[in-house]
Amino acid sequence: YWRDWSSDVCSSDLRNIVGLATIGFPVDTNCAATVVEYLRAAETVYNATTERADAEVIAAVTGWHGADDWTAPAFLVGTDRFGVNCPTYEHSDANLSNYVRRFATSGTAELQLATLQEIIDHSPDLATVIAVGLASPLIRFLGAPVFVLDLAAATSQGKTKALRVAASIFGSPDNLLSFDSTRTGLELHVDATRGMPVCIDESQRAKRSEEH
């Protein structure tokens, strides 16, 4: 199916419209209604003049797509597509899309594995962190439950560095969330990054101890 992104934005509340300012739209609460009219007019012209594939598939989540079993899988690493009929990643939340784009691929698998091996040779304790990160895409394949690795240690013992190593397996080492994010914000990020390791730092910054 084809999801009209402008319709998705226009049907949302004004906060989403104002949120377009983060990607360069000259918009604020005073001109949001005008922006909606502009987007609808632009979409009408676009639909009338642009030829598109009959079945372009859009996904708002990363990870596995396609068949429920292993017969015809496709996988999204951020916005990088792999496999047969892999959808295109698209989300109306610009901030969330920027976060997802930090997951990306480059180089070769051989170089990646060699680099990870060098890290383990230098710091053997990081082998578990790396194994957990690599295991994330396999959870669906193995039918295994989602699990959590909790790194507990005193301050300045390398917990954040270990998380950065885990995050770097599938993209930017800066791809870390924080426990002082809102519960809704964390849920949105976790839902959007299916099949990817989710690294959450600074548990002591959680608003309530039961959220650790």
Side-chain angles (χ1 to χ4, degrees):
Y1 65 94
W2 171 266
R3 193 189 73 191
D4 293 318
W5 70 271
S6 58
S7 293
D8 183 60
V9 171
C10 291
S11 64
S12 302
D13 57 35
L14 289 180
R15 287 177 300 177
N16 281 345
I17 301 296
V18 175
L20 290 172
T22 62
I23 56 174
F25 273 74
V27 60
D28 55 34
T29 54
N30 295 321
C31 64
T34 303
V35 171
V36 170
E37 294 178 2
Y38 169 81
L39 290 175
R40 286 176 174 161
E43 182 184 44
T44 299
V45 173
Y46 177 76
N47 288 336
T49 60
T50 305
E51 293 184 4
R52 298 193 301 258
D54 292 335
E56 183 172 353
V57 178
I58 303 298
V61 297
T62 63
W64 295 107
H65 294 275
D68 293 332
D69 53 26
W70 196 245
T71 57
F75 197 89
L76 271 172
V77 179
T79 59
D80 294 344
R81 301 186 295 170
F82 299 91
V84 179
N85 298 324
C86 192
T88 299
Y89 178 82
E90 183 179 305
H91 200 286
S92 59
D93 186 328
N95 292 326
L96 188 58
S97 293
N98 290 335
Y99 176 83
V100 169
R101 289 190 185 96
R102 296 180 190 170
F103 293 97
T105 60
S106 64
T108 64
E110 291 76 14
L111 178 59
Q112 173 79 332
L113 292 174
T115 302
L116 294 176
Q117 185 62 58
E118 289 180 7
I119 294 173
I120 294 172
D121 292 341
H122 183 268
S123 303
D125 290 344
L126 291 177
T128 301
V129 174
I130 291 173
V132 169
L134 290 172
S136 297
L138 301 178
I139 290 177
R140 170 180 162 180
F141 173 59
L142 298 174
V146 175
F147 61 93
V148 175
L149 174 66
D150 185 7
L151 302 179
T155 301
S156 301
Q157 296 299 306
K159 299 187 297 297
T160 297
K161 289 182 179 179
L163 286 176
R164 287 173 59 83
V165 169
S168 69
I169 294 173
F170 291 101
S172 170
D174 297 323
N175 219 8
L176 305 180
L177 299 174
S178 174
F179 269 99
D180 61 358
S181 302
T182 65
R183 179 174 297 181
T184 299
L186 288 173
E187 289 177 350
L188 287 173
H189 281 83
V190 171
D191 181 62
T193 52
R194 301 178 190 180
M196 299 281 96
V198 177
C199 301
I200 309 178
D201 197 13
E202 302 290 356
S203 61
Q204 69 269 23
R205 289 165 57 182
K207 294 179 176 62
R208 295 189 300 273
S209 60
E210 62 267 25
E211 292 179 353
H212 286 197

